[in-house]
Amino acid sequence: MDQLRETLKVHHLRTTTCREDVLSTFINRKNALSHGDLEGELGENYDRVTIYRTLKTFLEKGIIHKVLDDEGLRYALCSHSCSEEKHQHDHIHFKCSACGETNCLENLHIPAVQLPDGYHPEHFNLLIQGVCPKCN
Amino acid sequence: MDQLRETLKVHHLRTTTCREDVLSTFINRKNALSHGDLEGELGENYDRVTIYRTLKTFLEKGIIHKVLDDEGLRYALCSHSCSEEKHQHDHIHFKCSACGETNCLENLHIPAVQLPDGYHPEHFNLLIQGVCPKCN
DNA sequence: TTCGAACTTGCAACGGGGTTGCAGAATATT
DNA sequence: AATATTCTGCAACCCCGTTGCAAGTTCGAA
Protein backbone atom coordinates (compact mmCIF):
# COMPACT_ATOMS: atom_id res chain seq x y z
CA MET A 1 0.00 0.00 0.00
CA ASP A 2 1.75 3.08 -1.24
CA GLN A 3 -1.23 5.07 -0.08
CA LEU A 4 0.53 5.30 3.27
CA ARG A 5 3.77 6.60 1.82
CA GLU A 6 1.81 9.08 -0.23
CA THR A 7 0.05 10.41 2.84
CA LEU A 8 3.32 10.80 4.70
CA LYS A 9 4.96 12.48 1.73
CA VAL A 10 2.13 14.99 1.43
CA HIS A 11 2.80 16.04 4.99
CA HIS A 12 6.56 16.20 4.48
CA LEU A 13 7.34 13.26 6.70
CA ARG A 14 9.91 10.62 6.01
CA THR A 15 8.51 7.18 5.50
CA THR A 16 9.46 4.88 8.32
CA THR A 17 7.96 1.55 9.23
CA CYS A 18 6.69 2.90 12.52
CA ARG A 19 4.78 5.71 10.87
CA GLU A 20 3.41 3.38 8.25
CA ASP A 21 2.27 0.92 10.89
CA VAL A 22 0.67 3.56 13.10
CA LEU A 23 -1.09 5.10 10.14
CA SER A 24 -2.37 1.80 8.84
CA THR A 25 -3.59 0.89 12.31
CA PHE A 26 -5.69 4.03 12.37
CA ILE A 27 -7.02 3.18 8.92
CA ASN A 28 -7.83 -0.44 9.69
CA ARG A 29 -9.39 -0.07 13.11
CA LYS A 30 -11.69 2.79 12.36
CA ASN A 31 -12.32 3.95 15.90
CA ALA A 32 -10.39 6.41 18.02
CA LEU A 33 -7.22 4.97 19.53
CA SER A 34 -5.25 5.76 22.65
CA HIS A 35 -1.51 5.49 22.91
CA GLY A 36 -2.10 2.35 24.93
CA ASP A 37 -4.10 0.79 22.11
CA LEU A 38 -1.26 1.41 19.69
CA GLU A 39 1.32 0.16 22.12
CA GLY A 40 -0.71 -3.01 22.53
CA GLU A 41 -0.75 -3.51 18.80
CA LEU A 42 2.74 -2.34 17.88
CA GLY A 43 4.60 -2.29 21.16
CA GLU A 44 6.67 -5.32 20.36
CA ASN A 45 8.11 -3.62 17.32
CA TYR A 46 8.61 -0.07 18.50
CA ASP A 47 9.58 1.78 21.61
CA ARG A 48 6.81 3.54 23.51
CA VAL A 49 8.61 6.85 23.08
CA THR A 50 8.63 6.44 19.33
CA ILE A 51 4.90 5.85 19.32
CA TYR A 52 4.38 8.95 21.45
CA ARG A 53 6.48 10.98 19.07
CA THR A 54 4.69 9.58 16.06
CA LEU A 55 1.36 10.62 17.54
CA LYS A 56 2.69 14.07 18.32
CA THR A 57 4.03 14.46 14.80
CA PHE A 58 0.77 13.29 13.25
CA LEU A 59 -1.10 15.75 15.44
CA GLU A 60 1.08 18.66 14.38
CA LYS A 61 0.79 17.74 10.72
CA GLY A 62 -2.98 17.46 10.84
CA ILE A 63 -3.12 13.74 10.12
CA ILE A 64 -4.93 12.91 13.35
CA HIS A 65 -6.84 14.90 15.93
CA LYS A 66 -7.47 14.60 19.63
CA VAL A 67 -10.66 13.04 20.88
CA LEU A 68 -11.73 14.03 24.36
CA ASP A 69 -12.80 11.36 26.75
CA ASP A 70 -13.71 11.22 30.42
CA GLU A 71 -10.83 8.85 30.92
CA GLY A 72 -7.74 9.75 28.97
CA LEU A 73 -6.99 11.06 25.54
CA ARG A 74 -7.59 9.33 22.24
CA TYR A 75 -6.78 10.12 18.66
CA ALA A 76 -8.57 9.63 15.37
CA LEU A 77 -7.81 10.22 11.73
CA CYS A 78 -8.63 13.64 10.42
CA SER A 79 -10.88 13.98 7.45
CA HIS A 80 -9.09 14.94 4.26
CA SER A 81 -9.83 18.61 4.70
CA CYS A 82 -7.35 19.03 7.55
CA SER A 83 -3.87 20.45 7.23
CA GLU A 84 -1.13 21.74 9.48
CA GLU A 85 -2.61 25.23 9.29
CA LYS A 86 -6.28 24.53 9.52
CA HIS A 87 -8.35 21.89 11.20
CA GLN A 88 -12.02 21.25 10.72
CA HIS A 89 -13.47 19.14 13.48
CA ASP A 90 -16.98 20.07 14.31
CA HIS A 91 -18.12 16.48 14.07
CA ILE A 92 -19.43 14.44 16.97
CA HIS A 93 -17.69 11.70 18.90
CA PHE A 94 -19.68 8.81 20.30
CA LYS A 95 -18.32 6.62 23.06
CA CYS A 96 -20.01 3.31 23.73
CA SER A 97 -20.26 2.39 27.38
CA ALA A 98 -20.56 -1.28 26.47
CA CYS A 99 -17.71 -1.99 24.09
CA GLY A 100 -15.70 1.10 25.04
CA GLU A 101 -15.10 2.16 21.48
CA THR A 102 -15.12 5.80 20.52
CA ASN A 103 -16.02 6.72 16.98
CA CYS A 104 -16.29 9.87 14.95
CA LEU A 105 -19.71 10.51 13.46
CA GLU A 106 -18.24 12.30 10.48
CA ASN A 107 -21.52 13.10 8.84
CA LEU A 108 -23.09 14.73 11.86
CA HIS A 109 -22.26 18.29 12.67
CA ILE A 110 -22.56 19.93 16.03
CA PRO A 111 -25.64 22.10 16.07
CA ALA A 112 -25.17 25.83 16.47
CA VAL A 113 -25.24 27.19 19.98
CA GLN A 114 -26.35 30.67 20.86
CA LEU A 115 -23.69 31.91 23.28
CA PRO A 116 -24.11 35.00 25.46
CA ASP A 117 -22.52 38.23 24.27
CA GLY A 118 -18.77 38.40 24.53
CA TYR A 119 -18.03 34.73 23.93
CA HIS A 120 -15.99 34.03 20.82
CA PRO A 121 -16.03 30.31 20.12
CA GLU A 122 -13.29 28.74 18.06
CA HIS A 123 -13.48 24.99 18.54
CA PHE A 124 -16.32 22.68 19.42
CA ASN A 125 -15.99 19.27 20.99
CA LEU A 126 -19.06 17.16 21.59
CA LEU A 127 -18.75 13.76 23.21
CA ILE A 128 -21.88 11.65 23.47
CA GLN A 129 -21.76 8.59 25.68
CA GLY A 130 -24.23 5.76 25.40
CA VAL A 131 -24.73 2.47 23.61
CA CYS A 132 -23.71 2.04 20.01
CA PRO A 133 -25.58 0.04 17.35
CA LYS A 134 -23.22 -2.91 17.60
CA CYS A 135 -23.86 -3.37 21.32
CA ASN A 136 -27.54 -2.71 21.15
CA MET B 1 -20.35 29.31 57.20
CA ASP B 2 -22.41 26.35 58.28
CA GLN B 3 -23.65 26.10 54.74
CA LEU B 4 -20.63 23.92 54.08
CA ARG B 5 -21.32 21.59 56.97
CA GLU B 6 -24.91 21.38 55.88
CA THR B 7 -23.91 20.35 52.36
CA LEU B 8 -21.60 17.67 53.66
CA LYS B 9 -24.23 16.38 56.05
CA VAL B 10 -26.81 16.09 53.31
CA HIS B 11 -24.43 13.80 51.45
CA HIS B 12 -23.63 11.76 54.56
CA LEU B 13 -20.06 12.92 54.79
CA ARG B 14 -18.23 13.74 57.99
CA THR B 15 -17.20 17.33 58.30
CA THR B 16 -13.47 17.72 58.12
CA THR B 17 -11.48 20.85 57.53
CA CYS B 18 -10.14 19.52 54.25
CA ARG B 19 -13.60 18.88 52.87
CA GLU B 20 -14.79 22.26 54.05
CA ASP B 21 -11.82 23.99 52.44
CA VAL B 22 -12.13 22.15 49.15
CA LEU B 23 -15.83 22.83 48.99
CA SER B 24 -15.45 26.49 49.78
CA THR B 25 -12.73 26.79 47.16
CA PHE B 26 -15.13 25.49 44.56
CA ILE B 27 -17.76 27.95 45.76
CA ASN B 28 -15.46 30.97 45.85
CA ARG B 29 -13.60 30.47 42.61
CA LYS B 30 -16.52 29.76 40.37
CA ASN B 31 -14.69 28.11 37.51
CA ALA B 32 -13.76 24.49 37.02
CA LEU B 33 -10.72 23.39 39.02
CA SER B 34 -8.10 20.75 38.52
CA HIS B 35 -6.45 18.83 41.30
CA GLY B 36 -3.42 20.98 40.69
CA ASP B 37 -5.41 24.15 41.26
CA LEU B 38 -6.61 22.86 44.60
CA GLU B 39 -3.17 21.67 45.57
CA GLY B 40 -1.84 25.11 44.80
CA GLU B 41 -4.42 26.67 47.04
CA LEU B 42 -4.55 24.13 49.85
CA GLY B 43 -1.42 22.06 49.38
CA GLU B 44 0.32 23.53 52.38
CA ASN B 45 -2.43 22.35 54.65
CA TYR B 46 -3.30 18.97 53.24
CA ASP B 47 -1.59 16.03 51.63
CA ARG B 48 -2.07 15.63 47.90
CA VAL B 49 -3.56 12.19 48.48
CA THR B 50 -6.20 13.64 50.77
CA ILE B 51 -7.18 16.15 48.11
CA TYR B 52 -7.42 13.38 45.53
CA ARG B 53 -9.61 11.37 47.87
CA THR B 54 -11.77 14.36 48.64
CA LEU B 55 -12.37 14.93 44.95
CA LYS B 56 -13.19 11.28 44.44
CA THR B 57 -15.63 11.32 47.32
CA PHE B 58 -17.31 14.49 46.11
CA LEU B 59 -17.63 12.93 42.66
CA GLU B 60 -19.26 9.82 44.02
CA LYS B 61 -21.67 11.80 46.15
CA GLY B 62 -22.72 14.04 43.31
CA ILE B 63 -21.29 17.23 44.76
CA ILE B 64 -18.99 17.87 41.81
CA HIS B 65 -18.76 16.57 38.26
CA LYS B 66 -15.98 16.01 35.78
CA VAL B 67 -15.30 18.57 33.11
CA LEU B 68 -13.61 17.35 29.95
CA ASP B 69 -10.61 19.22 28.72
CA ASP B 70 -8.04 18.69 26.03
CA GLU B 71 -5.34 18.78 28.66
CA GLY B 72 -6.28 16.99 31.84
CA LEU B 73 -9.35 16.65 33.95
CA ARG B 74 -11.14 19.36 35.85
CA TYR B 75 -14.03 19.43 38.26
CA ALA B 76 -16.90 21.80 38.89
CA LEU B 77 -19.75 22.06 41.35
CA CYS B 78 -22.91 20.26 40.40
CA SER B 79 -26.12 22.15 40.29
CA HIS B 80 -28.47 21.43 43.14
CA SER B 81 -30.39 18.85 41.20
CA CYS B 82 -27.59 16.28 41.32
CA SER B 83 -27.41 13.37 43.71
CA GLU B 84 -25.47 10.17 44.13
CA GLU B 85 -28.04 8.33 42.02
CA LYS B 86 -28.73 10.82 39.30
CA HIS B 87 -26.72 13.48 37.58
CA GLN B 88 -28.00 16.13 35.27
CA HIS B 89 -25.24 17.71 33.23
CA ASP B 90 -26.32 18.66 29.81
CA HIS B 91 -24.94 22.15 30.18
CA ILE B 92 -22.05 23.52 28.18
CA HIS B 93 -18.46 24.10 29.27
CA PHE B 94 -16.49 26.99 27.86
CA LYS B 95 -12.72 27.07 28.03
CA CYS B 96 -10.96 30.35 27.38
CA SER B 97 -7.75 30.02 25.42
CA ALA B 98 -6.51 33.33 26.84
CA CYS B 99 -6.98 33.06 30.61
CA GLY B 100 -7.26 29.30 30.64
CA GLU B 101 -10.38 29.28 32.76
CA THR B 102 -13.12 26.76 32.16
CA ASN B 103 -16.64 27.66 33.17
CA CYS B 104 -20.02 26.01 33.14
CA LEU B 105 -22.65 27.84 31.16
CA GLU B 106 -25.43 26.57 33.39
CA ASN B 107 -28.23 28.27 31.54
CA LEU B 108 -27.34 26.93 28.13
CA HIS B 109 -28.41 23.45 27.19
CA ILE B 110 -26.82 21.29 24.57
CA PRO B 111 -29.02 21.30 21.49
CA ALA B 112 -30.63 18.05 20.46
CA VAL B 113 -28.73 15.91 17.99
CA GLN B 114 -30.36 13.55 15.54
CA LEU B 115 -28.30 10.38 15.81
CA PRO B 116 -28.46 7.54 13.29
CA ASP B 117 -30.60 4.52 14.14
CA GLY B 118 -29.24 2.25 16.81
CA TYR B 119 -27.43 4.84 18.87
CA HIS B 120 -28.75 5.24 22.41
CA PRO B 121 -27.25 8.36 23.95
CA GLU B 122 -27.06 8.73 27.71
CA HIS B 123 -24.70 11.58 28.48
CA PHE B 124 -23.73 14.66 26.54
CA ASN B 125 -20.57 16.64 26.99
CA LEU B 126 -19.91 19.76 24.99
CA LEU B 127 -16.69 21.71 25.38
CA ILE B 128 -16.38 24.97 23.50
CA GLN B 129 -12.96 26.58 23.29
CA GLY B 130 -12.47 30.21 22.43
CA VAL B 131 -12.17 33.60 24.07
CA CYS B 132 -14.35 34.52 27.02
CA PRO B 133 -15.91 37.94 27.70
CA LYS B 134 -13.28 38.87 30.28
CA CYS B 135 -10.41 38.38 27.82
CA ASN B 136 -12.15 39.89 24.89
C1' DT C 1 -18.94 13.36 78.78
C1' DT C 2 -16.70 9.58 77.81
C1' DC C 3 -15.99 5.67 74.83
C1' DG C 4 -15.74 2.84 70.85
C1' DA C 5 -16.76 1.89 66.09
C1' DA C 6 -16.40 3.84 61.86
C1' DC C 7 -14.35 6.88 59.05
C1' DT C 8 -10.54 10.05 57.48
C1' DT C 9 -5.79 11.52 57.02
C1' DG C 10 -0.76 11.35 56.14
C1' DC C 11 3.02 8.86 54.72
C1' DA C 12 5.43 5.85 51.79
C1' DA C 13 5.42 3.45 47.92
C1' DC C 14 3.94 2.29 43.50
C1' DG C 15 2.26 2.23 38.43
C1' DG C 16 1.09 4.55 34.33
C1' DG C 17 1.22 8.44 31.13
C1' DG C 18 3.94 11.41 28.83
C1' DT C 19 8.43 14.09 27.97
C1' DT C 20 13.48 15.15 27.21
C1' DG C 21 18.58 14.47 26.01
C1' DC C 22 21.57 12.11 23.62
C1' DA C 23 24.00 8.76 20.78
C1' DG C 24 23.39 5.71 17.07
C1' DA C 25 20.64 4.34 13.00
C1' DA C 26 17.90 5.23 9.00
C1' DT C 27 16.28 8.35 5.27
C1' DA C 28 16.46 11.48 1.46
C1' DT C 29 19.42 14.20 -1.56
C1' DT C 30 23.58 15.25 -4.35
C1' DA D 1 28.43 6.42 -2.40
C1' DA D 2 28.65 10.53 0.80
C1' DT D 3 26.41 13.88 3.43
C1' DA D 4 23.06 16.51 6.00
C1' DT D 5 18.91 15.82 8.03
C1' DT D 6 15.72 13.34 10.42
C1' DC D 7 14.14 9.43 13.21
C1' DT D 8 14.63 5.81 16.74
C1' DG D 9 15.87 3.52 21.08
C1' DC D 10 17.46 3.88 25.52
C1' DA D 11 17.74 5.86 29.96
C1' DA D 12 16.14 8.92 32.90
C1' DC D 13 12.87 11.87 34.59
C1' DC D 14 8.47 14.34 36.13
C1' DC D 15 3.54 14.53 36.90
C1' DC D 16 -0.91 12.39 37.78
C1' DG D 17 -3.46 9.40 40.32
C1' DT D 18 -3.94 5.15 43.32
C1' DT D 19 -3.25 1.79 47.23
C1' DG D 20 -1.95 -0.14 51.96
C1' DC D 21 -1.38 0.77 56.35
C1' DA D 22 -0.89 2.98 60.86
C1' DA D 23 -2.27 6.93 63.44
C1' DG D 24 -5.66 10.43 64.12
C1' DT D 25 -10.45 12.30 64.01
C1' DT D 26 -15.50 12.33 63.92
C1' DC D 27 -19.91 11.16 65.71
C1' DG D 28 -23.36 8.74 67.98
C1' DA D 29 -24.57 5.75 71.86
C1' DA D 30 -24.27 4.83 76.53
Side-chain angles (χ1 to χ4, degrees):
Chain A
M1 287 298 169
D2 276 317
Q3 183 69 20
L4 300 174
R5 289 165 174 263
E6 189 57 32
T7 300
L8 293 174
K9 196 165 196 174
V10 165
H11 292 280
H12 306 100
L13 293 175
R14 293 190 171 173
T15 69
T16 68
T17 57
C18 180
R19 285 172 179 171
E20 288 178 316
D21 283 355
V22 169
L23 189 49
S24 76
T25 303
F26 273 111
I27 292 172
N28 294 335
R29 320 246 315 253
K30 298 182 182 288
N31 53 316
L33 303 175
S34 67
H35 172 271
D37 294 332
L38 290 163
E39 198 179 343
E41 192 124 335
L42 307 172
E44 312 237 323
N45 306 320
Y46 309 107
D47 193 89
R48 10 183 318 273
V49 178
T50 304
I51 298 177
Y52 276 117
R53 286 198 264 233
T54 302
L55 288 172
K56 196 175 182 181
T57 305
F58 282 8
L59 262 185
E60 289 165 0
K61 296 296 182 180
I63 299 175
I64 60 177
H65 64 277
K66 285 186 183 179
V67 178
L68 296 195
D69 194 329
D70 59 339
E71 45 180 9
L73 215 43
R74 291 168 185 274
Y75 306 89
L77 280 180
C78 287
S79 57
H80 302 295
S81 56
C82 288
S83 70
E84 190 162 1
E85 297 76 28
K86 180 160 161 289
H87 282 258
Q88 182 57 36
H89 288 303
D90 59 345
H91 62 267
I92 295 169
H93 296 120
F94 191 95
K95 177 177 181 180
C96 178
S97 53
C99 65
E101 276 193 16
T102 303
N103 284 283
C104 298
L105 303 181
E106 294 276 359
N107 300 326
L108 293 184
H109 290 272
I110 298 174
V113 175
Q114 190 64 42
L115 291 172
D117 282 353
Y119 285 95
H120 290 270
E122 285 158 5
H123 299 108
F124 295 82
N125 223 308
L126 175 57
L127 175 71
I128 303 179
Q129 292 169 278
V131 182
C132 75
K134 274 188 293 185
C135 300
N136 205 353
Chain B
M1 287 297 170
D2 276 317
Q3 183 69 19
L4 299 174
R5 290 166 174 264
E6 189 56 33
T7 300
L8 293 174
K9 196 166 196 174
V10 165
H11 292 280
H12 305 101
L13 293 174
R14 295 192 171 174
T15 69
T16 67
T17 56
C18 180
R19 286 173 178 170
E20 288 179 315
D21 284 355
V22 169
L23 189 49
S24 77
T25 304
F26 273 112
I27 293 173
N28 294 334
R29 322 246 315 257
K30 298 183 184 286
N31 53 316
L33 303 175
S34 66
H35 173 270
D37 295 331
L38 289 163
E39 199 180 341
E41 191 124 335
L42 307 171
E44 313 236 324
N45 307 319
Y46 309 107
D47 193 88
R48 9 184 318 274
V49 177
T50 302
I51 298 177
Y52 274 117
R53 286 199 264 231
T54 301
L55 287 172
K56 196 175 183 182
T57 304
F58 283 7
L59 262 185
E60 289 165 1
K61 295 295 182 180
I63 299 175
I64 60 177
H65 64 278
K66 286 186 182 179
V67 178
L68 294 195
D69 195 331
D70 58 338
E71 45 181 9
L73 216 42
R74 290 168 185 275
Y75 306 88
L77 280 180
C78 287
S79 58
H80 303 294
S81 57
C82 287
S83 70
E84 192 164 0
E85 296 76 28
K86 181 161 162 288
H87 282 259
Q88 182 56 37
H89 289 303
D90 59 344
H91 60 267
I92 296 169
H93 296 120
F94 191 96
K95 178 177 180 180
C96 178
S97 53
C99 65
E101 276 192 16
T102 302
N103 283 283
C104 299
L105 302 181
E106 293 276 0
N107 300 325
L108 293 183
H109 290 273
I110 299 175
V113 175
Q114 190 64 42
L115 290 173
D117 281 352
Y119 285 94
H120 290 269
E122 285 159 7
H123 299 108
F124 295 82
N125 225 307
L126 176 56
L127 176 71
I128 303 180
Q129 292 169 278
V131 182
C132 76
K134 276 188 294 186
C135 299
N136 204 354

